[in-house]
């Protein structure tokens, strides 16, 4: 929390002035690694960049930016500059980008040097780099990737379509190497307890690499890649035993800290309203009961996108229902099934979209320890509107998307069902939720009540990306300018769509 306050004050007082570490040395140094390193020491810091657990980093990324994905809301207005009102400070805007580049490349180059750029350690480094940088690119757009080298950080940006193809290739190559290693040495766990996701199990990491590649291929409508990934011998994350669940380790679960301890995080009204309308049995696992007037002992989420309220008066909304030791979902079997459902719906792979869709719901229910009951066959329930909120206002939801798969529905209606249930199942992964919302238009999220973007962002469509970091404009100026002119597809604002985003 102290770190967050520091950045806020610097941004407010200095207008987002670049920090003194905004140069190569920052990216080529690791905050945690000792002077004499081996890959097993530095790879855990790289793995952390796939999904941040450290409390301040997680708040800055998953909590702050995550408001745009409909999973979380912030109770603190942070001096009036916030992502959900589209006027975040320069310092906060660039933090996700800078954190990831620093935590990845400060260690990646060391693994390269140690391994001579080959072997299983390098495969892990390439996997983690690709998975982490895909999230950054999903958020900002084209970024430097293929030309980044030790001592060469400020390089040209990759064409966005080619970037994703390279990400898929890197993930698939890593999956092949790690799978082969796991077949030859099935009991070997090179990373061991330093790996807070899979305990060093390379067979599971190979499944993760394939599943991440599938996510990217579906996002970019790369039919050939989807088919190749599905056929990979290492397989996908297909059962909950394969789930990538990140242990907070010495840190407490950040969502628990931000909500129950700090009082700064609540669940977003959007996901609560959807799940209330569906009478979803996962609500008790996802949310605490609210204590706000008029909705005491109910599941009642907090709307985002309001410019002014006091933190103390926003405390009564439902919180994420986690403990200090709760693991964070990074990638689950349910998401894999929804990706396969969409691929089947579009005719990219063999199989029945309905079967994949229903299996995704079943796996999510199993993951959270609840019974699906008649949920999958519910053909009448629809998402709720947000009503009775005398504090932050109401929202009348227009969608009538049902749960039960109707063979007579249109492809677009089936897509809305798939994405809606995926968005519910991947909770809490708001960065991915925001990406899917921008790509498909689903689920239906309420517009910001207070749009403070000076007319740049459409209230109806919301922020479509984050603008590039100030450091890139100051230190990588020529390449930044060329990227905006030739690669981005529009001005460097939050209103510019990425190539895979829905345009209406």
């Amino acid at each position: 929390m102290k770190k967050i306050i520091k950045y806020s004050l610097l941004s407010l007082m200095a207008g987002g002035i670049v920090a003194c570490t905004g140069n190569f040395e920052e990216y080529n140094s690791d905050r945690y690694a000792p002077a004499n390193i081996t890959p097993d020491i530095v790879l855990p810091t790289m793995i952390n960049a796939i999904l941040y657990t450290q409390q301040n980093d997680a708040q800055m990324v998953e909590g702050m930016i995550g408001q745009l994905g409909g999973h979380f809301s912030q109770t603190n207005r942070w001096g009036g500059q916030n992502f959900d009102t589209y006027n975040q400070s320069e310092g906060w805007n660039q933090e996700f980008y800078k954190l990831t580049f620093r935590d990845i490349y400060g260690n990646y180059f060391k693994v390269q040097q140690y391994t001579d750029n080959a072997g299983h350690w390098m495969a892990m480094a390439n996997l983690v780099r690709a998975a982490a940088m895909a999230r950054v690119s999903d958020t900002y757009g084209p970024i430097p990737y293929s030309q980044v080298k030790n001592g060469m950080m400020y390089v040209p940006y990759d064409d966005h379509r080619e970037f994703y193809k390279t990400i898929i290739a890197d993930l698939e190559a890593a999956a092949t190497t790690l799978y082969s290693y796991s077949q030859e040495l099935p009991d070997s766990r090179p990373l061991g307890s330093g790996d807070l996701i899979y305990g060093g199990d390379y067979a599971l990491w190979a499944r993760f690499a394939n599943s991440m590649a599938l996510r990217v291929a579906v996002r970019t409508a790369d039919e050939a890649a989807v088919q190749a990934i599905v056929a990979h011998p290492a397989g996908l994350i297909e059962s909950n035993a394969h789930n990538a669940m990140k242990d907070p380790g010495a840190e407490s679960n950040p969502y628990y800290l931000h909500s129950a301890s700090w009082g700064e995080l609540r669940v977003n009204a959007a996901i609560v309203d959807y799940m209330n309308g569906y009478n979803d049995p996962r609500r008790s696992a996802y949310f605490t009961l609210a204590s706000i007037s008029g909705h005491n002992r109910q599941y009642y989420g907090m709307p985002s996108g309001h410019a002014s309220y006091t933190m103390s008066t926003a405390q009564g909304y439902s919180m994420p229902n986690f403990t200090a030791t709760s693991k964070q979902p990074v990638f689950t079997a349910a998401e894999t099934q929804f990706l396969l459902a969409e691929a089947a719906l579009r005719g990219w792979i063999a199989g029945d979209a309905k079967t994949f869709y229903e299996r995704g719901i079943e796996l999510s229910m199993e993951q959270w320890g609840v019974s699906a009951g008649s949920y999958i066959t519910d053909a009448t329930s629809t998402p709720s509107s947000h009503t009775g909120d005398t504090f932050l206002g109401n929202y009348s939801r227009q969608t009538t998307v049902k749960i039960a798969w109707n063979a007579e529905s249109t492809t677009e209606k089936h897509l809305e069902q798939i994405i809606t249930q995926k968005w519910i199942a991947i909770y809490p992964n708001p960065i991915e939720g925001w990406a899917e919302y921008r790509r498909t238009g689903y689920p239906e999220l309420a517009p910001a009540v207070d749009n403070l973007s000076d007319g740049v962002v459409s209230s109806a469509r919301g922020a479509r990306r984050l603008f590039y970091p100030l450091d890139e404009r100051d230190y990588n100026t020529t390449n930044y300018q060329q990227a905006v002119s030739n690669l981005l597809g529009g001005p460097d604002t939050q209103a510019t769509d990425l190539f895979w985003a829905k345009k209406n």
Side-chain angles (χ1 to χ4, degrees):
M1 182 176 178
K2 291 180 180 178
K3 176 180 175 182
I4 299 270
I5 293 173
K6 177 186 72 174
Y7 283 132
S8 177
L9 292 175
L10 283 173
S11 300
L12 291 171
M13 293 188 296
I17 293 173
V18 178
C20 62
T21 55
N23 51 33
F24 168 74
E25 285 72 21
E26 176 180 9
Y27 295 131
N28 199 33
S29 62
D30 171 19
R31 294 173 291 172
Y32 310 117
N36 297 315
I37 62 94
T38 54
D40 60 306
I41 294 176
V42 299
L43 274 165
T45 300
M46 291 184 68
I47 291 171
N48 192 49
I50 294 176
L51 183 72
Y52 279 103
T53 302
Q54 197 280 332
Q55 55 189 258
N56 292 301
D57 296 345
Q59 183 178 39
M60 186 63 69
V61 179
E62 316 301 333
M64 298 276 192
I65 304 171
Q67 295 176 94
L68 301 172
H71 283 177
F72 295 135
S73 293
Q74 292 285 329
T75 67
N76 199 329
R77 287 293 78 190
W78 305 107
Q81 293 182 289
N82 295 281
F83 288 95
D84 64 337
T85 51
Y86 317 133
N87 69 325
Q88 68 273 13
S89 69
E90 289 272 9
W92 285 10
N93 179 80
Q94 69 181 7
E95 190 66 7
F96 182 21
Y97 190 107
K98 291 181 65 177
L99 273 173
T100 309
F101 269 73
R102 180 175 62 217
D103 289 346
I104 291 296
Y105 285 112
N107 299 286
Y108 183 82
F109 299 141
K110 293 170 184 174
V111 178
Q112 275 188 326
Q113 292 167 348
Y114 186 90
T115 64
D116 197 24
N117 207 30
H120 67 92
W121 292 123
M122 200 65 232
M124 272 300 300
N126 283 327
L127 184 164
V128 176
R129 176 202 189 203
M133 290 303 168
R135 291 215 314 160
V136 173
S137 189
D138 287 346
T139 302
Y140 293 89
I143 61 172
Y145 185 77
S146 63
Q147 298 187 54
V148 173
K149 296 178 176 61
N150 196 357
M152 296 176 60
M153 290 298 303
Y154 295 121
V155 297
Y157 293 44
D158 287 39
D159 173 85
H160 212 193
R161 288 174 175 81
E162 291 304 313
F163 164 83
Y164 285 113
K165 289 182 181 297
T166 304
I167 290 291
I168 291 170
D170 286 351
L171 289 168
E172 291 299 274
T176 298
T177 298
L178 297 177
Y179 177 67
S180 296
Y181 183 102
S182 71
Q183 295 303 294
E184 294 175 14
L185 299 167
D187 297 324
S188 178
R189 299 290 186 272
L191 275 170
S193 61
D195 172 7
L196 295 178
I197 294 179
Y198 282 134
D201 189 330
Y202 278 172
L204 292 176
W205 273 112
R207 289 182 181 275
F208 174 84
N210 281 337
S211 299
M212 279 294 303
L214 182 63
R215 177 194 283 178
V216 174
V218 170
R219 174 153 302 143
T220 57
D222 191 334
E223 179 178 354
V226 168
Q227 293 168 351
I229 293 161
V230 170
H232 195 286
L236 299 161
I237 295 175
E238 296 172 308
S239 76
N240 286 320
H242 302 151
N243 286 351
M245 303 291 291
K246 190 174 183 186
D247 192 317
E251 296 271 355
S252 291
N253 179 288
Y255 307 134
Y256 165 79
L257 277 177
H258 301 163
S259 57
S261 181
W262 298 357
E264 293 171 354
L265 189 73
R266 293 296 180 265
V267 287
N268 195 295
I271 191 167
V272 180
D273 292 343
Y274 265 80
M275 294 177 74
N276 278 342
Y278 291 148
N279 195 28
D280 196 302
R282 289 167 289 191
R283 287 176 297 172
S284 61
Y286 280 22
F287 319 129
T288 66
L289 293 169
S291 60
I292 197 167
S293 177
H295 303 281
N296 190 43
R297 307 297 295 170
Q298 299 174 11
Y299 300 111
Y300 199 67
M302 178 181 172
S304 60
H306 291 256
S308 59
Y309 47 81
T310 62
M311 181 175 164
S312 61
T313 55
Q315 294 301 302
Y317 293 98
S318 290
M319 297 186 295
N321 191 16
F322 299 115
T323 68
T325 58
S326 295
K327 294 183 178 181
Q328 293 172 259
V330 182
F331 203 112
T332 66
E335 181 179 351
T336 301
Q337 294 301 308
F338 291 121
L339 289 167
L340 294 172
E342 182 176 346
L345 181 70
R346 297 186 186 279
W348 297 341
I349 61 170
D352 179 34
K354 175 179 182 288
T355 300
F356 290 127
Y357 167 78
E358 292 179 347
R359 182 59 178 152
I361 296 173
E362 291 168 351
L363 283 166
S364 180
M365 298 289 181
E366 177 188 288
Q367 174 192 339
W368 292 96
V370 300
S371 172
S374 60
Y375 184 89
I376 292 174
T377 58
D378 183 347
T380 58
S381 297
T382 60
S384 294
S385 295
H386 190 71
T387 61
D389 195 330
T390 58
F391 180 43
L392 290 180
N394 302 317
Y395 175 71
S396 180
R397 192 159 272 105
Q398 301 303 304
T399 183
T400 58
V401 62
K402 312 293 196 304
I403 301 168
W405 190 274
N406 182 349
E408 305 303 317
S409 289
T410 64
T411 297
E412 190 63 26
K413 281 292 186 184
H414 283 148
L415 178 64
E416 183 178 7
Q417 287 183 294
I418 291 168
I419 301 303
T420 296
Q421 291 299 326
K422 182 203 287 191
W423 173 71
I424 293 172
I426 64 174
Y427 171 90
N429 190 344
I431 299 297
E432 182 61 18
W434 182 40
E436 288 297 83
Y437 170 72
R438 289 175 287 148
R439 181 175 73 92
T440 67
Y442 306 122
E444 180 187 335
L445 302 179
V449 174
D450 297 305
N451 183 335
L452 304 183
S453 68
D454 291 331
V456 172
V457 176
S458 161
S459 293
R461 302 184 75 234
R464 311 303 291 175
R465 58 181 288 272
L466 300 187
F467 51 89
Y468 284 119
L470 185 61
D471 281 12
E472 284 296 296
R473 285 174 269 161
D474 282 352
Y475 296 120
N476 199 18
T477 306
T478 299
N479 294 319
Y480 158 78
Q481 292 172 344
Q482 290 176 348
V484 174
S485 299
N486 302 326
L487 302 178
L488 184 59
D492 182 19
T493 72
Q494 295 182 95
T496 295
D497 279 305
L498 304 185
F499 78 87
W500 44 256
K502 188 173 183 179
K503 304 303 189 289
N504 54 25

